[in-house]
Each structure stands twice: as structure tokens, then as C-alpha cells.
Amino acid sequence: MTVSDTKVTWLTQDAYDRLKHELDEMIEDRPVIAARINDSREEGDLKENGGYHAAREEQGQAEARIRHLQELLRNAKVGEAPEDDGTAGPGKVLTVKYDGDDDEEKFLLATREEGAQGALDVYSPESPLGKALLGAKEGESREYELPNGKTMKVTLVKAVPYSDS
């Protein structure tokens, strides 16, 4: 699945700048990886050339990350914080309470790229919990399926726009 198959990704300016910097560095490193492949190729038999295969694998991973970042940044909405309307959605910090547990959990509902630098745990809007909570209003309870097949009831206590400051 590519990022374009999903909804627009909301990013803070800081997250956008960080991802753009990573993309620029990876594009600059392309010649370095290509040189390693060429150097390894010159060592002889490619079937038994571990350095060559490692460099090719690194190149494949780097190119996949470059494509992912390009697609993500192309479809990102930057700096437009979601409304502070008490509704769960991407770019919001959610406080929830699980059925049968008195403790509350607080997390950011966003892509892992958005929350990569923060102290909060990040849950994807595509995760079972994220999907269940999308559109929920404060005080509303929803159910979602756990990996073991059982269902868990969760109540949205609070939903506020994320601020990385």
C-alpha cells in the first residue's frame, strides 16, 4: 500500500522539515551507494560476493524509503492543525480509558513519521484502535478487535490537537 492509497497525512512543519531533510540526505547518498556497488562488483564473482549483495540490498532499501518519503511529502498537509472539537482524528492527542481499567492512556493518533520525535506513543489511524476511535466524541465508547480475536471496549476521555512545542 502506498501513502496515496490512504488519506492525506497531516504533519507539523517540524515533522515535514525533518522528513524533507532525511529525503534530501538519502538522495545525496545515492552516488555513495552506487560507488560501493561498483567497487564490490570489481572484486569478482558476484555469486559469492557478500559486499556486492549487501550494497544492492542497501540500495533497494534506500530507494524504497526515498519513494515512500516523496509520496508522503507530496500528499502531506503541513501546519494545519485539526480543529479542537473534542472529536478523535489524525493529529490529535487522545486520552482513553479501557473497560475494566481505572488508568487512562494518552497517545498521538498519527503516522509514525509524525510522532517519531515525540515522547508520546503513536497509534496509526489505520490500526484497530485508531479505526475504532476515528470520529468518536469525548465520552463516547467504542469497541475494537484485539489480536486474540476478543473485543475491547474503550472510552474516549479527551481529544485535543497535537502540539510539538
Side-chain angles (χ1 to χ4, degrees), residues 63-119:
E63 290 301 319
R65 180 68 178 159
I66 286 170
R67 284 190 305 276
H68 174 75
L69 288 173
Q70 287 172 330
E71 186 77 6
L72 180 77
L73 294 174
R74 183 173 26 255
N75 294 308
K77 274 185 128 178
V78 180
E80 297 176 27
E83 287 185 45
D84 191 1
D85 58 3
T87 303
K92 300 257 185 116
V93 176
L94 306 182
T95 304
V96 298
K97 200 173 201 174
Y98 297 97
D99 205 27
D101 189 354
D102 290 337
D103 294 332
E104 293 181 347
E105 182 182 0
K106 193 178 208 179
F107 58 87
L108 173 62
L109 189 64
T111 63
R112 68 183 168 90
E113 281 86 1
E114 173 63 29
Q117 302 297 312

